[in-house]
Amino acid sequence: SKIENGQVDPKFATLMALSRALSLSLPGFDAGATTARVAGARVVTRADQAVEHATPQYAYRLLAGELAAKTMLPSVIAVTARRLEDFPEWNRHVGEEFIYVLSGAIRLYMEGYEPVALRVGESAYYDSSIGHAMVAIGRGEARVLSVASEGGGNGQTHAGVAARGLH
């Protein structure tokens, strides 16, 4: 396939579907996740240990990659897109997502909502099955902490989730 031959970067939703089908966490694709989910599990990700993945719109640093089965996917995303037109289609994936702006500023676009600008210290929580996209605004890089999960607003989640933000 084009993905296997490195001709195309897979979309986040495609990676999520593969991870669910294979019961792997998304970071497990690259990092060889080894720690099974156990009660009281703890994983520490050092600055040089995050799994990196880039798309034309975002550069991801996937965190907690050693934990094989998790219900959340935490990541730090450098938002490189500057225009909504930089996205060939909306990002969408099962679950919910929380974003918190670490540096710079972004504009969050969502189907059915007016775009909203978010600056350092501001956040948004949303149903990630609704089409969404983030673009950097202003000068410099924008970085966002993203925590995505698979599950509905009723608090239910599923083991083996790979959720973001690789939007």
Side-chain angles (χ1 to χ4, degrees):
S1 76
K2 289 182 179 181
I3 293 172
E4 292 170 320
N5 293 326
Q7 297 172 357
V8 173
D9 281 322
K11 291 198 47 79
F12 182 66
T14 302
L15 292 175
M16 275 189 55
L18 285 170
S19 71
R20 279 193 310 273
L22 297 172
S23 296
L24 292 173
S25 69
L26 192 57
F29 280 101
D30 290 326
T34 57
T35 305
R37 183 172 177 80
V38 296
R42 180 186 92 166
V43 173
V44 174
T45 305
R46 301 289 181 199
D48 62 346
Q49 294 174 331
V51 175
E52 296 183 2
H53 177 80
T55 68
Q57 299 83 18
Y58 306 120
Y60 299 91
R61 291 185 47 80
L62 302 170
L63 309 173
E66 291 181 8
L67 191 58
K70 56 182 156 281
T71 57
M72 300 183 300
L73 182 69
S75 61
V76 174
I77 302 169
V79 180
T80 55
R82 292 280 175 178
R83 307 171 307 135
L84 185 58
E85 294 77 22
D86 292 339
F87 295 83
E89 58 188 350
W90 289 103
N91 298 312
R92 65 178 83 242
H93 44 90
V94 174
E96 299 172 326
E97 189 161 353
F98 170 79
I99 58 172
Y100 179 89
V101 180
L102 298 170
S103 65
I106 64 163
R107 182 162 288 116
L108 174 63
Y109 291 90
M110 292 189 68
E111 288 180 319
Y113 292 89
E114 288 296 315
V116 62
L118 298 172
R119 304 197 187 299
V120 173
E122 297 179 331
S123 64
Y125 187 102
Y126 51 91
D127 176 345
S128 51
S129 67
I130 297 171
H132 58 280
M134 296 181 289
V135 300
I137 57 176
R139 295 183 183 174
E141 178 183 83
R143 288 183 334 122
V144 173
L145 171 66
S146 169
V147 181
S149 69
E150 180 180 43
N154 59 7
Q156 294 179 344
T157 58
H158 305 283
V161 165
R164 168 55 213 44
L166 306 186
H167 287 90

